[in-house]
Amino acid sequence: MTEQHSQRFERGTDGPKVIVAGVDGSDSSLRAAAYAGGLARRQRALLAVVYVQPVLASGAALGAPVAETTDEIAEDLVAQIREATERSKGIFDVRWEFHTFRGDPYNGLVRAADELKADAVVVGASEQAGHRIVGSVAVRLVKAGRWPVTVVP
């Protein structure tokens, strides 16, 4: 005698729960955040917007206030996201958080996706010509093969 379990269809529970969007202030990263916001809204997922603050040892040697500058960039990004959220309030409701990590963009996004238990990662396409030779952050994330990665042009 075998025991049978009834199969129940669970509406809306099989999509991603956390979507990480990497932002750096570039137009493509802001488009990626907007795209990820739409995904998060439709999937009722949490949108985790992540800015990776670069750590530049050479900047300190040159006397450049690197940490202060990257803090200002992070604050500006949060302000832009809050403004966009306010404009869409009542039309589109998205749960979102803003996180900053320090390091290079690839390792920072990997750490963010791991710590935030991301189900998907969304980034903008690289706008730097040198990445065609060395490889962009997006390509490296795809090659890591740990999460579905969407690259927004």
Side-chain angles (χ1 to χ4, degrees):
M1 182 155 82
T2 61
E3 188 177 316
Q4 291 186 356
H5 297 282
S6 65
Q7 298 283 1
R8 280 188 25 199
F9 177 74
E10 297 180 60
R11 179 177 292 249
T13 59
D14 57 349
K17 296 297 176 207
V18 178
I19 298 171
V20 166
V23 296
D24 62 7
S26 66
D27 288 343
S28 67
S29 78
L30 296 176
R31 285 191 297 271
Y35 181 86
L39 289 175
R41 179 183 57 80
R42 288 187 295 279
Q43 296 290 336
R44 292 185 175 86
L46 172 66
L47 172 61
V49 180
V50 174
Y51 169 60
V52 180
Q53 292 181 300
V55 176
L56 304 172
S58 62
L62 298 172
V66 174
E68 195 174 300
T69 302
T70 58
D71 286 345
E72 288 174 16
I73 292 169
E75 289 170 16
D76 184 51
L77 289 168
V78 171
Q80 288 181 49
I81 294 163
R82 281 202 176 106
E83 185 180 306
T85 303
E86 283 300 313
R87 281 196 310 263
S88 65
K89 201 169 238 155
I91 303 168
F92 303 114
D93 289 321
V94 177
R95 292 182 307 124
W96 66 279
E97 300 172 347
F98 184 84
H99 299 270
T100 57
F101 287 80
R102 291 192 183 273
D104 68 274
Y106 170 75
N107 287 311
L109 285 172
V110 166
R111 198 169 114 227
D114 283 346
E115 287 184 18
L116 298 169
K117 297 180 178 24
D119 295 301
V121 178
V122 180
V123 293
S126 175
E127 296 178 354
Q128 296 179 5
H131 286 172
R132 291 190 190 104
I133 299 164
V134 178
S136 69
V137 171
V139 169
R140 292 174 67 196
L141 288 168
V142 169
K143 286 182 177 180
R146 292 163 64 177
W147 327 265
V149 177
T150 302
V151 182
V152 176

